[in-house]
Amino acid sequence: MEPNVRAARGIQRTTITGVLLLAAIAAVVSFRHMHELCIRHGEDHLAAVLIPLAVDGTIVVASMSILMANRYGSRGGFLAWAMLLVGSLASLGANIAIAEPSLTGRVIAAWPSAALIGSYELLMSQIRRASRVAATAPGQVVADGEVGSSDVHDLLRHPENETEDLRRTAWHWALENRLPDGALPSGRAIAEQFARSARWGRWIKREGLEGKLGEPDRFAAV
């Protein structure tokens, strides 16, 4: 493994560890705030334990759903984003409700929930970044998350690194989202839709036009 690859992976592991540590600290404080709020409002001990888990668990499940959707070329859907928003607002609201009735008190109380939400989203972004790099060019990591100049050749040599379904999905998305003049979207537009590098998008477009991703005769003239 090249030194720059080892360094990049080391930085990534350190970043993920830091994010996990921050999320754990924020989760404990946020849980205590929501637990106390539930007790104050007449919930029994079991409910006071489960309700905070349900609130923050909604954020986790919604974020994971969005992450999985992104890996298959979707943005997650209305329900996942709505649940993420509702869970985030509920967590923030519960933490603020337990605070001392002053601006400083409310900011202090809200911070753990905000830190939990933010750190979890940072963790998801790191996972998405790692998935993009691994799927596009295994063994090559560069500073901007893009792959090196040989990424297309790596894909051609190692087709198992990219699922056939994803390649076909990207190609069919391009066919279904033509420009007003009938031309296909650019390689960059295809790549952005599927969270990949611009070279990946250009490769998908070229392979599709050559008929390797289905329906060659109908679209070859584009």
Side-chain angles (χ1 to χ4, degrees):
M1 186 182 297
E2 296 180 2
N4 62 328
V5 175
R6 288 197 298 269
R9 290 183 177 176
I11 292 171
Q12 188 176 66
R13 283 194 295 268
T14 301
T15 301
I16 291 175
T17 300
V19 170
L20 286 172
L21 179 60
L22 173 61
I25 293 171
V28 170
V29 178
S30 179
F31 175 87
R32 293 184 63 182
H33 285 170
M34 284 191 280
H35 181 271
E36 183 178 345
L37 183 65
C38 290
I39 294 294
R40 285 188 186 181
H41 287 79
E43 298 292 340
D44 61 27
H45 180 69
L46 179 60
V49 170
L50 295 179
I51 290 173
L53 295 177
V55 172
D56 288 336
T58 298
I59 299 171
V60 173
V61 170
S63 295
M64 290 298 295
S65 177
I66 293 169
L67 173 65
M68 292 301 296
N70 287 343
R71 297 187 68 177
Y72 287 95
S74 171
R75 297 191 181 278
F78 173 78
L79 180 59
W81 284 103
M83 292 299 290
L84 179 60
L85 178 62
V86 169
S88 300
L89 291 176
S91 180
L92 279 170
N95 278 270
I96 291 173
I98 203 68
E100 175 188 329
S102 67
L103 177 60
T104 301
R106 291 190 175 104
V107 169
I108 292 173
W111 183 253
S113 179
L116 175 61
I117 296 167
S119 60
Y120 191 77
E121 286 306 307
L122 284 172
L123 178 60
M124 292 298 99
S125 71
Q126 288 294 317
I127 294 174
R128 285 191 288 268
R129 177 188 175 92
S131 298
R132 287 198 300 269
V133 172
T136 309
Q140 295 185 20
V141 180
V142 292
D144 61 358
E146 297 279 313
V147 296
S149 59
S150 62
D151 59 343
V152 172
H153 300 294
D154 285 342
L155 281 169
L156 295 174
R157 287 198 303 266
H158 304 288
E160 71 278 7
N161 292 326
E162 193 74 51
T163 66
E164 183 70 20
D165 286 345
L166 180 58
R167 295 196 293 269
R168 291 183 181 277
T169 297
W171 173 236
H172 285 294
W173 177 89
L175 295 176
E176 293 169 2
N177 290 272
R178 292 173 175 275
L179 302 178
D181 62 0
L184 291 170
S186 66
R188 181 175 294 278
I190 297 171
E192 289 176 353
Q193 179 68 20
F194 292 87
R196 295 296 193 269
S197 72
R199 289 190 180 91
W200 184 89
R202 291 193 293 270
W203 177 76
I204 288 293
K205 187 173 180 179
R206 185 173 68 249
E207 292 288 289
L209 289 172
E210 291 175 359
K212 297 178 181 179
L213 299 176
E215 304 182 68
D217 297 332
R218 183 179 172 189
F219 300 103
V222 179

